[in-house]
Amino acid sequence: MNKIILLLVVTVTLLGCKTSEKEVDKLELAKRYYKFLDSSDTSSMLTLLGDSIVIRESEDNYEERFSKKGYINWLEWDAIFEPTYKIIEIEQDSEMVKAKISKIDKRLFFLHEEPMVWNEIIQFDNNKITRVERVKYEVFDISRFVKNREVLVHWVDKNHPELNGFLEAQTKSVAMKYLKALELFQNKKQRTIPFNVIVR
């Protein structure tokens, strides 16, 4: 009888530990996801993803389904701009993780002029990330973003037509054209600043 009771206690304890480990795992998986975004670590990111991942923007009612390879292509595009992702808040809520994230990179520094901040939800299937839904922007000035992008596009059309199409696809080669366009435009702006403004 004592052996049966002991066996039951051990079983219940192990099951309890297993459940809490699963809960911790989702939060840890989400933290690793943002860490790998921040470091543009494509090989590590592959270990976190399901066979496909849905990225959804609730405010724009936009959704895209990526294969693993497609998502890694996007991550390689993102890496060209040297992003910095920061977790502002993160918590597990039942089977999902809710997070508030900020992001800045060379592209956003030009287009948005400050970090973007948003809230999103990460969902899992068999401890793999299968859905990331951006539910609300807290800091995103879309009019500034679009205006700066239009200025850049018109300037490239006029001065460097060989870089046209830098908005067409989110691939590494297109991102390199995008970054080159940004660098040329910003160098042009610096050269047009009057000398007496630079020297103080």
Side-chain angles (χ1 to χ4, degrees):
M1 185 71 168
N2 285 343
K3 286 183 180 178
I4 292 172
I5 292 171
L6 181 62
L7 186 62
L8 282 172
V9 169
V10 169
T11 304
V12 169
T13 304
L14 288 174
L15 285 173
C17 289
K18 213 168 189 183
T19 304
S20 63
E21 276 176 20
K22 279 186 179 177
E23 289 173 7
V24 170
D25 282 348
K26 288 192 171 66
L27 194 58
E28 288 305 311
L29 285 173
K31 287 177 181 177
R32 283 165 48 202
Y33 171 75
Y34 294 116
K35 178 184 173 187
F36 299 152
L37 278 176
D38 183 61
S39 60
S40 305
D41 187 341
T42 54
S43 57
S44 296
M45 182 65 83
L46 280 171
T47 66
L48 300 181
L49 304 179
D51 291 335
S52 65
I53 180 170
V54 173
I55 304 296
R56 179 171 171 73
E57 301 255 356
S58 296
E59 291 186 357
D60 298 335
N61 200 25
Y62 168 80
E63 182 173 297
E64 187 169 356
R65 181 178 295 275
F66 291 91
S67 64
K68 274 187 177 182
K69 185 179 179 206
Y71 192 75
I72 294 305
N73 286 342
W74 174 85
L75 188 57
E76 289 173 346
W77 173 87
D78 193 49
I80 296 297
F81 305 106
E82 300 176 12
T84 298
Y85 289 84
K86 287 185 180 171
I87 299 171
I88 300 170
E89 296 172 9
I90 192 164
E91 64 175 355
Q92 186 165 337
D93 183 358
S94 187
E95 295 300 304
M96 63 182 70
V97 171
K98 295 179 176 178
K100 184 191 288 187
I101 303 300
S102 79
K103 178 187 180 185
I104 191 70
D105 61 25
K106 290 180 176 181
R107 183 182 71 99
L108 290 178
F109 187 77
F110 173 79
L111 296 175
H112 196 249
E113 301 171 17
E114 64 179 327
M116 289 172 55
V117 179
W118 64 85
N119 295 297
E120 66 185 14
I121 295 169
I122 298 180
Q123 295 178 322
F124 303 83
D125 187 8
N126 293 324
N127 286 329
K128 296 289 185 181
I129 295 172
T130 56
R131 186 178 182 90
V132 179
E133 183 166 359
R134 199 171 289 188
V135 291
K136 183 184 177 187
Y137 286 100
E138 295 208 358
V139 180
F140 180 35
D141 186 335
I142 191 164
S143 58
R144 182 199 297 160
F145 184 99
V146 170
K147 179 185 159 207
N148 287 338
R149 187 176 63 192
E150 286 174 355
V151 167
L152 180 64
V153 168
H154 292 308
W155 184 83
V156 167
D157 281 346
K158 185 177 177 183
N159 297 284
H160 291 279
E162 72 279 6
L163 296 176
N164 279 341
F166 64 88
L167 296 176
E168 286 176 5
Q170 291 180 323
T171 63
K172 187 175 180 179
S173 59
V174 172
M176 290 170 77
K177 285 172 69 173
Y178 201 149
L179 186 61
K180 185 68 176 171
L182 287 170
E183 288 170 349
L184 288 168
F185 181 82
Q186 287 167 332
N187 286 341
K188 181 270 314 179
K189 274 180 70 178
Q190 287 171 359
R191 285 196 304 272
T192 59
I193 297 172
F195 182 73
N196 63 349
V197 173
I198 299 171
V199 179
R200 299 182 182 190

